Amino acid sequence: MPLVTTTEMFKKAYEGGYAIGAFNVNNMEIIQGITEAAKAENAPLILQVSAGARKYANHTYLVKLVEAALEETDLPIALHLDHGDTFELCKSCIDGGFTSVMIDGSHLPFEENIKLTKQVVDYAHDHGVVVEGELGRLAGIEDAVNVSEEDASFTNPDEVEEFVERTGVDSLAIAIGTSHGAFKFKGEAKLRFDILEEIGKRLPGFPIVLHGASSVPQEYVEIVNKYGGNMPGAKGVPEDMLRQAASMAVCKINIDSDLRLAMTGTIRQFMAENPGAFDPRQYLGPARDAIRTIVRHKIVNVLGCNNKA
Ligand code: G3H
Ligand code: 13P
Ligand code: ZN
């Protein structure tokens, strides 16, 4: 099956009260772990590539690896640009075979965000590609995204209809209290479901995207800390909150940090227990298995998209 856009998968997810997992990919083992999990659970899938991933692994290598996964799995898979920050980057991914792009103008004033997003939508739609926009700002640090807690802000429901109408975006990422990275909440986890509900009412049938949705499993935090890592206080979004969001208007849930944690914890433990190991396959194999296990768990217990391919 060739790559698909997210149109059909979001329509079914919205109607079925579940969400599609959007997992960040950076190399072969990560792509294999995720796609083997989706195959085992017969789940539709979004594989997303950040600007940092593209720089690390090279656009062509990533596209070819995803093409190999399509051949191996025969699943509906969308290839998506995560946090595109310029028209040129989005254009390059559209021209280079992606079926979906995000233009993240969330740091811009409203009118400028609309202008940039619309420019990307016009080009993308002319090429059969769908676009995710963003309103509201998440806190957190990634390669290309660094927003302090003071600069983060919830999405204003009063703005969403105008934004969607004037830009023509196909889905909208919103900020309701999640954040990027492995340190999301200092105290109790809180999400503004009231904002999500209001946005759902203003945009009936329209797919909403939740970024910063890793759960940060404590068993992996403990492994990382036990074997030389330093992540005290790492904390994610409780899985029951993600399930609730998936049953509402959220059709796409972005997960990256949990895969990093699973991979890094597994490799740290393996190297500590096997100090003589020097064949990369010895530790990348178990890391790939850990990714497969965690993604299967997400598909079945968090997203609810098993058997929806
Ligand atoms: O939200 C961003 C993703 O987790 C990708 O992170 O920019 O470090 O590749 P990255
Ligand atoms: P996490 O850092 O919670 O995994 O979020 C990833 C993300 O939003 C990618 O766009
Ligand atoms: Zn994100």
Side-chain angles (χ1 to χ4, degrees):
M1 185 186 296
L3 282 172
V4 297
T5 71
T6 52
T7 308
E8 204 47 40
M9 51 175 97
F10 284 169
K11 190 170 178 291
K12 288 190 197 157
Y14 195 98
E15 284 163 7
Y18 62 88
I20 314 294
F23 300 98
N24 287 74
V25 299
N26 293 281
N27 69 10
M28 183 186 77
E29 284 76 9
I30 295 173
I31 291 173
Q32 288 177 334
I34 297 166
T35 53
E36 285 167 12
K39 173 87 180 158
E41 298 300 341
N42 192 30
L45 194 57
I46 300 168
L47 296 175
Q48 55 187 12
V49 172
S50 70
R54 208 163 166 260
K55 200 164 152 197
Y56 171 77
N58 172 302
H59 179 97
T60 311
Y61 277 89
L62 288 172
V63 169
K64 297 288 177 195
L65 285 167
V66 171
E67 281 171 5
L70 280 168
E71 211 174 298
E72 289 293 321
T73 61
D74 203 28
L75 288 173
I77 298 178
L79 179 55
H80 174 77
L81 168 66
D82 190 27
H83 291 284
D85 60 346
T86 61
F87 172 78
E88 289 70 28
L89 174 57
C90 293
K91 180 179 181 301
S92 170
C93 289
I94 293 164
D95 294 345
F98 284 36
T99 52
S100 174
V101 294
M102 174 188 194
I103 176 69
D104 182 356
S106 59
H107 56 289
L108 298 170
F110 189 65
E111 283 300 324
E112 283 174 47
N113 188 358
I114 288 185
K115 192 171 165 215
L116 176 62
T117 304
K118 185 170 170 19
Q119 188 189 8
V120 172
V121 168
D122 287 346
Y123 188 81
H125 285 181
D126 276 351
H127 293 78
V129 169
V130 290
V131 180
E132 173 186 327
E134 177 161 343
L135 264 183
R137 298 200 75 191
L138 276 70
I141 300 171
E142 306 290 336
D143 266 9
V145 191
N146 184 351
V147 182
S148 70
E149 268 178 50
E150 306 85 78
D151 289 336
S153 58
F154 296 124
T155 305
N156 177 357
D158 288 340
E159 293 182 341
V160 297
E161 288 154 287
E162 185 181 350
F163 185 82
V164 168
E165 200 173 304
R166 286 179 58 197
T167 58
V169 280
D170 304 279
S171 62
L172 181 68
I174 61 166
I176 57 167
T178 62
S179 62
H180 290 112
F183 298 85
K184 299 186 193 297
F185 299 101
K186 288 205 184 80
E188 195 196 336
K190 271 200 204 116
L191 289 195
R192 291 290 304 271
F193 283 104
D194 56 322
I195 295 179
L196 174 56
E197 200 177 342
E198 186 55 36
I199 291 172
K201 279 187 199 147
R202 308 272 183 118
L203 298 171
F206 190 81
I208 298 300
V209 178
L210 202 58
H211 282 245
S214 278
S215 310
V216 188
Q218 291 305 299
E219 58 269 32
Y220 276 120
V221 174
E222 279 163 27
I223 290 172
V224 168
N225 288 338
K226 181 172 171 192
Y227 294 103
N230 184 24
M231 301 180 76
K235 196 168 173 186
V237 187
E239 290 185 343
D240 57 339
M241 289 190 181
L242 296 169
R243 275 198 298 273
Q244 190 181 337
S247 74
M248 299 168 73
V250 170
C251 294
K252 173 174 180 270
I253 290 190
N254 283 15
I255 298 171
D256 185 12
S257 296
D258 283 353
L259 307 193
R260 296 179 181 199
L261 199 56
M263 195 165 198
T264 304
T266 302
I267 292 173
R268 277 190 181 279
Q269 180 168 6
F270 185 88
M271 295 310 274
E273 290 172 354
N274 301 274
F278 82 114
D279 179 345
R281 293 171 297 190
Q282 285 181 290
Y283 52 87
L284 290 176
R288 178 175 56 196
D289 294 345
I291 289 196
R292 187 173 54 237
T293 302
I294 198 166
V295 172
R296 279 188 81 165
H297 169 80
K298 300 281 178 192
I299 288 171
V300 175
N301 300 298
V302 177
L303 304 157
C305 60
N306 45 316
N307 295 318
K308 308 289 189 196

